[in-house]
Amino acid sequence: MIDNRKVLAIIPARGGSKGIPRKNIKQLAGKPLIAWTIEEAKKSRYIDRLILSSEDSEIIEIAGAYGCEAPFVRPKELSEDITPGIAPVLHAITQLPDFDYVVLLQPTSPLRLIDDIDGCIEHMVNIGAPACVSVTKPDKSPYWMYTLKENCEMKQLIEQSESITRRQELPEVYALNGAVYVADVEWLLNSGSFLERDRCV
């Protein structure tokens, strides 16, 4: 709880991954991948309830062994390859409606720390934003990236009014790193995304 508002954390982990089959329970440094996220989330000062959203009985069992409950089985139609990532989150908060904030913690970011989780929650609350996401500075700037047309002609990805020739002159850019997403529940239900334009920090 933070500022007398309740916090729900959701770990989404479906069983049907195509890129790396069964990735969420693959061993990583002696533990299933999902265990790293569970153990770090359980250290939070603010998370009131930590849950798993999954349709897979084995993932549910392994998460339970590490102290993460699965209060429902995710419907199969919300576990397909084409299911938007936000869909399991929206489903979970409608199943568990008595929370003010929701935190999304993807198991594919096992190196996030509790400082990242609680830091996102604190930052969102302290500045009065409806959402907060974790980001990183990319190695390559999109200002120096190009698309390739059918005739092999290169086209600059981001049009610039002036030519920038030095890296130091480039605007700072950030990329989502997928580690932490936090939002006000009511706002998220209305917006349908953690990333509504001009509304997250």
Side-chain angles (χ1 to χ4, degrees), residues 72-186:
F72 52 80
V73 176
R74 191 199 303 181
K76 294 283 188 187
E77 62 269 21
L78 295 180
S79 304
E80 305 293 337
D81 291 339
I82 59 171
T83 301
I86 192 66
V89 178
L90 297 176
H91 171 260
I93 59 182
T94 56
Q95 297 296 305
L96 303 168
D98 296 326
F99 291 88
D100 302 294
Y101 298 126
V102 62
V103 182
L104 169 62
L105 301 171
Q106 299 179 116
T108 47
S109 295
L111 301 182
R112 86 172 66 70
L113 301 174
I114 188 54
D115 289 345
D116 301 319
I117 299 170
D118 282 357
C120 265
I121 297 169
E122 289 172 359
H123 185 64
M124 182 188 73
V125 172
N126 288 343
I127 69 169
C132 183
V133 298
S134 60
V135 296
T136 188
K137 289 186 178 181
D139 294 334
K140 307 288 185 185
S141 173
Y143 284 89
W144 280 353
M145 292 182 181
Y146 297 81
T147 57
L148 199 60
K149 296 181 179 180
E150 287 185 16
N151 64 357
C152 294
E153 180 184 344
M154 292 175 66
K155 182 177 186 302
Q156 198 163 21
L157 182 64
I158 299 175
E159 298 287 348
Q160 299 176 50
S161 57
E162 298 177 8
S163 177
I164 297 176
T165 58
R166 298 173 64 244
R167 177 180 52 81
Q168 293 85 352
E169 297 172 345
L170 293 171
E172 284 196 350
V173 296
Y174 299 89
L176 296 173
N177 62 22
V180 187
Y181 297 80
V182 186
D184 177 274
V185 166
E186 185 176 347

Side-chain angles (χ1 to χ4, degrees), residues 4-22:
N4 293 313
R5 304 192 75 190
K6 292 174 66 178
V7 180
L8 173 68
I10 302 166
I11 301 175
R14 68 187 185 97
S17 172
K18 293 291 190 294
I20 303 175
R22 315 295 293 162

Side-chain angles (χ1 to χ4, degrees), residues 9-12 24 28 31-43 47 50-51 66 68 104-114 117 178-179:
I10 302 166
I11 301 175
N24 291 310
L28 176 66
K31 289 185 280 196
L33 178 65
I34 198 168
W36 294 93
T37 295
I38 294 169
E39 290 180 343
E40 206 63 22
K42 288 172 72 68
K43 299 174 186 176
I47 292 172
L50 173 66
I51 69 157
Y66 283 89
C68 182
L104 169 62
L105 301 171
Q106 299 179 116
T108 47
S109 295
L111 301 182
R112 86 172 66 70
L113 301 174
I114 188 54
I117 299 170

